[in-house]
Amino acid sequence: MGHAVEKLHERLLAISGVDDDGVYRDGASKRARRSELVLGSLKRLWDEALASLDFEVPTRGVGLAAVGSLARGQMGPNSDLDLVLMVEDRSLKQEQLAQLADKLWYPLWDSGLDLDHSVRTRSQCESVTDHDLPAAMGWLDVKPIAGDVDLIGHTATSILERWRKAARKRLPELTESADSRLKQFGRLPYINQPDIKEARGGLRDSTLIASLAASWLSDRPHGQYDSALERLLDVRDCIHLASRKDSNLLLPQYQAPVAEMLGLADPTLPEEERQARSIEDLQTLLASLGRRIAFALDATTSRAQHSLTHERPRFAFFQGRREAPRFDVIAPGVARHEREVVLAPGVEPAKDQYLPLRVAVASAEFGLPIANSTLINLGRSPIRDSVWDEESRALFIRLLSCSDELIRVWEEIDYVGIPGRWIPEWLGVRNRPSASAAHRYTIDRHMVEVTARLDERAPGGSRYDTEHLQALLLAGILHDIGKRPGVRDHAVEGARHVPVILRRMGYAESVVGMATILVREHLTLSDYATGKDPYDPAVVQSLSEHLEGDVLLLDMLFDLTKADGSSLGATASEAITKRYGWSKWREQLVTTMYAATRSHMLGR
């Protein structure tokens, strides 16, 4: 063998393979072995580099350090290397430093690994980390490799101290970075093709949690969180093996191989069914892991924010005693406290089955998140899917009417499984990926997205009355409830479930009937628009008959079709064709068919 890192990538892959049955096991052990191999190889490379130079490198003032996944002991089979060559001023001449860097970087490039490298002085490291949040978080996990390890250690200690001193000011920056990623990448449990690093609940969140813990503003979670993180790293490793590159994006072509490597494929099933089932099980696994990690981040951030709030004692005016916490009651049993929705003092969740509804509605209407401890307590509420009253039905409709806030609140209460307790049929589609390439989201999240796009205004600008609005919103939240394994026509299957669900909830028969028709026909207007002639009297008559000649039902179907279409599509990194969605072309076709049918119904 030549230099210390020759064929290092191949050696990493050799210790990263699956067992004879195709299953990837002992991921944590393999990550430790990969880190040990790379660190040892880099130390030898350092010695080789120094021996090959025609000048002497001092033992003080020059050193090699690792940050990123290598420093954390989380290297994947194809992870890149994040290395920093640390120097003190005047320890080497500029040309000597360049020669040393070349002796390190070029062999690594030749080894087949991707390399992210830099050369920094201590002051440069401190300056960069003071202004660059990712760089600062990277230096909180730094690993000295060779050379002057004291220089690296002192720099790391300095950066950590500066981080702790500035943590109070940088906490908003941390939360903003998490919110920015959420807007761009979505939540891990609800994405068909997730980026398991950047999505909320992904690996990047674990770095944020570690950074918050290092600031001393909050403790680091353990137990189930640690297990979830290790399992998500296993998923990442399997994506590397399936894609043969440093990738965190779970594209469709990798999903079946990754599921098989994770041991989710049932070998007793026919291949096509085995793959479909394993992909669904993979999505369920990711949902569980993503929820656990996202909840840990939210809890850690909340504790950090509360620690800042309570650093300065609150004293009553003109009195020397500490103020009691303030709870502003905003609904029966529900209060606002420190910009969160919490339970009012004295409330017992175990005795109130409607409390989760009141909390959810208050959270949506006031635009405030539900406190994590409150979510856990709501899980103790004795919800019964068959026991609804007029007030609870009205609350449910108010929740469905909350537009974008509905999406946030539904995600929060879904963490403790509340929607599935309201509607048991929800569990049949929860976390299930859509078979259609048009969908970015899982089936359950797609239905929430669609509902959030519905409101009380009909296409012509008039307002729906109470019963029609109820039917439209209920159809939105249930329109894909029939997308179950083995079902050929999910619209027909959904129409079979909807009357059972809504009658159990106690909605009026008129509402049940309209919602059932809308679910049964939610694809009809789009299908007619893209495949039939709107100027053919037989076509518009046929479409009218599907809706029993009801003009308002046609208006509602148009709104549902538009909401359904506009919720499709993808981010720039996802492999979903842009032919889907509510494009101008599709909007024009659907609008034309709708207008022609409406004129026919009105006898024009």
Side-chain angles (χ1 to χ4, degrees):
M1 184 175 291
H3 55 71
V5 295
E6 185 173 358
K7 297 184 179 179
L8 180 56
H9 188 206
E10 294 179 16
R11 286 184 278 158
L12 285 172
L13 291 176
I15 62 175
S16 304
V18 298
D19 292 348
D20 291 339
D21 59 356
V23 177
Y24 182 81
R25 296 185 177 89
D26 302 320
S29 174
K30 289 175 180 175
R31 286 186 284 278
R33 289 171 60 194
R34 284 193 292 266
S35 298
E36 183 181 358
L37 170 62
V38 172
L39 290 172
S41 299
L42 289 172
K43 289 178 182 178
R44 291 192 296 275
L45 177 64
W46 177 267
D47 293 337
E48 290 177 1
L50 266 58
S52 67
L53 295 170
D54 57 5
F55 57 88
E56 185 174 348
V57 175
T59 58
R60 309 287 295 178
V62 184
L64 183 64
V67 294
S69 62
L70 175 58
R72 294 190 296 271
Q74 296 177 348
M75 272 200 71
N78 293 307
S79 291
D80 63 356
L81 296 181
D82 293 316
L83 301 178
V84 181
L85 182 57
M86 287 285 302
V87 295
E88 284 184 336
D89 292 334
R90 296 183 295 278
S91 59
L92 287 175
K93 295 179 181 179
Q94 198 64 35
E95 60 269 18
Q96 292 175 329
L97 186 59
Q99 290 181 49
L100 173 59
D102 288 345
K103 293 292 185 180
L104 297 172
W105 308 151
Y106 278 98
L108 286 168
W109 284 321
D110 293 339
S111 72
L113 288 172
D114 292 330
L115 176 64
D116 187 358
H117 61 87
S118 61
V119 180
R120 303 264 192 236
T121 64
R122 172 173 172 168
S123 61
Q124 287 173 334
C125 287
E126 291 172 345
S127 177
V128 168
T129 54
D130 282 347
H131 300 92
D132 186 327
L133 184 64
M137 291 191 295
W139 265 91
L140 297 178
D141 291 299
V142 62
K143 189 85 172 178
I145 298 174
D148 189 350
V149 296
D150 288 338
L151 170 63
I152 299 166
H154 292 155
T155 303
T157 300
S158 172
I159 290 172
L160 178 58
E161 290 174 351
R162 297 161 79 96
W163 174 258
R164 286 173 177 162
K165 288 179 181 178
R168 288 150 182 79
K169 294 181 180 179
R170 303 199 77 169
L171 181 58
E173 189 180 358
L174 274 172
T175 57
E176 286 170 11
S177 72
D179 292 342
S180 177
R181 283 189 296 106
L182 174 59
K183 291 177 182 177
Q184 182 176 358
F185 296 99
R187 291 185 180 269
L188 185 58
Y190 307 117
I191 306 295
N192 277 336
Q193 301 172 33
D195 185 319
I196 66 162
K197 181 178 181 179
E198 302 295 348
R200 175 63 64 90
L203 297 173
R204 182 76 73 186
D205 284 352
S206 68
T207 307
L208 285 184
I209 290 171
S211 301
L212 286 168
S215 71
W216 289 348
L217 292 176
S218 181
D219 295 331
R220 180 189 180 281
H222 293 283
Q224 291 181 332
Y225 166 75
D226 287 328
S227 300
L229 176 57
E230 288 298 326
R231 190 56 170 161
L232 190 57
L233 286 167
D234 289 346
V235 177
R236 188 278 316 269
D237 292 352
C238 293
I239 294 176
H240 280 201
L241 295 174
S243 65
R244 300 181 181 180
K245 60 184 178 182
D246 181 13
S247 175
N248 300 293
L249 194 58
L250 189 56
L251 294 173
Q253 61 265 35
Y254 307 144
Q255 291 175 359
V258 167
E260 184 174 0
M261 282 187 271
L262 291 169
L264 302 177
D266 184 348
T268 66
L269 297 175
E271 182 177 358
E272 185 175 344
E273 183 180 353
R274 179 173 69 245
Q275 287 193 357
R277 187 77 60 83
S278 70
I279 290 172
E280 290 185 6
D281 290 344
L282 172 60
Q283 182 67 49
T284 301
L285 171 65
L286 288 175
S288 174
L289 302 179
R291 286 191 180 95
R292 173 59 56 187
I293 293 173
F295 187 81
L297 174 62
D298 291 341
T300 305
T301 303
S302 178
R303 286 195 296 270
Q305 291 170 332
H306 287 172
S307 70
L308 293 182
T309 301
H310 297 298
E311 275 185 338
R312 295 183 296 275
R314 297 186 300 260
F315 290 94
F317 190 64
F318 291 136
Q319 298 179 25
R321 59 183 175 82
R322 187 182 179 92
E323 284 185 359
R326 293 186 59 183
F327 293 88
D328 299 324
V329 176
I330 56 179
V334 186
R336 173 173 49 200
H337 176 61
E338 295 181 353
R339 298 188 298 277
E340 290 182 326
V341 171
V342 300
L343 300 183
V347 169
E348 297 184 43
K351 296 182 178 180
D352 190 344
Q353 70 164 352
Y354 300 130
L355 185 60
L357 264 173
R358 295 199 300 276
V359 169
V361 172
S363 173
E365 292 184 345
F366 282 85
L368 297 171
I370 304 171
N372 291 342
S373 58
T374 298
L375 283 172
I376 298 299
N377 285 327
L378 290 179
R380 297 163 42 213
S381 183
I383 298 171
R384 293 178 60 191
D385 62 278
S386 59
V387 179
W388 294 73
D389 60 15
E390 185 174 350
E391 181 184 1
S392 61
R393 285 189 292 272
L395 283 170
F396 190 62
I397 295 299
R398 280 171 62 186
L399 177 61
L400 298 184
S401 303
C402 286
S403 300
D404 289 344
E405 289 295 326
L406 167 67
I407 298 172
R408 174 187 59 79
V409 174
W410 199 276
E411 287 174 351
E412 292 177 356
I413 61 176
D414 185 53
Y415 177 77
V416 289
I418 287 173
R421 296 173 65 190
W422 287 335
I423 305 173
E425 291 83 352
W426 189 265
L427 299 177
V429 295
R430 187 179 188 233
N431 305 327
R432 284 199 65 218
S434 176
S436 170
H439 285 263
R440 179 189 186 199
Y441 297 110
T442 53
I443 296 169
D444 55 334
R445 171 59 185 268
H446 168 70
M447 291 193 290
V448 179
E449 287 275 344
V450 168
T451 308
R453 286 166 165 78
L454 299 171
D455 59 39
E456 62 184 6
R457 291 194 176 276
S462 61
R463 296 177 183 272
Y464 293 117
D465 61 28
T466 300
E467 285 197 345
H468 284 85
L469 180 60
Q470 287 181 352
L472 178 59
L473 293 170
L474 292 168
I477 202 65
L478 297 173
H479 76 279
D480 276 350
I481 201 74
K483 281 191 172 179
R484 298 162 183 272
V487 171
R488 290 176 177 265
D489 189 333
H490 74 273
V492 171
E493 178 69 8
R496 190 172 69 84
H497 286 283
V498 167
V500 175
I501 295 169
L502 298 186
R503 285 173 182 147
R504 187 174 62 225
M505 297 174 77
Y507 283 101
E509 276 301 313
S510 57
V511 173
V512 173
M514 288 187 289
T516 302
I517 292 173
L518 289 172
V519 171
R520 186 187 68 211
E521 307 296 341
H522 75 270
L523 299 175
T524 304
L525 180 56
S526 182
D527 289 344
Y528 268 61
T530 55
K532 297 181 184 294
D533 180 4
Y535 303 107
D536 183 343
V539 168
V540 293
Q541 174 63 26
S542 173
L543 180 55
S544 175
E545 291 171 356
H546 278 278
L547 302 172
E548 300 179 352
D550 190 323
V551 175
L552 270 179
L553 268 179
L554 177 63
D555 290 345
M556 296 158 71
L557 181 60
F558 177 84
D559 284 338
L560 181 59
T561 302
K562 180 179 179 179
D564 194 10
S566 62
S567 69
L568 306 181
T571 63
S573 61
E574 293 168 337
I576 301 179
T577 173
K578 299 297 187 274
R579 289 185 295 111
Y580 295 99
W582 193 246
S583 64
K584 290 183 179 179
W585 169 79
R586 186 174 294 272
E587 180 180 15
Q588 181 179 6
L589 291 178
V590 171
T591 302
T592 300
M593 181 62 71
Y594 157 76
T597 306
R598 199 173 197 279
S599 294
H600 173 79
M601 287 179 168
L602 294 173
R604 296 174 182 168

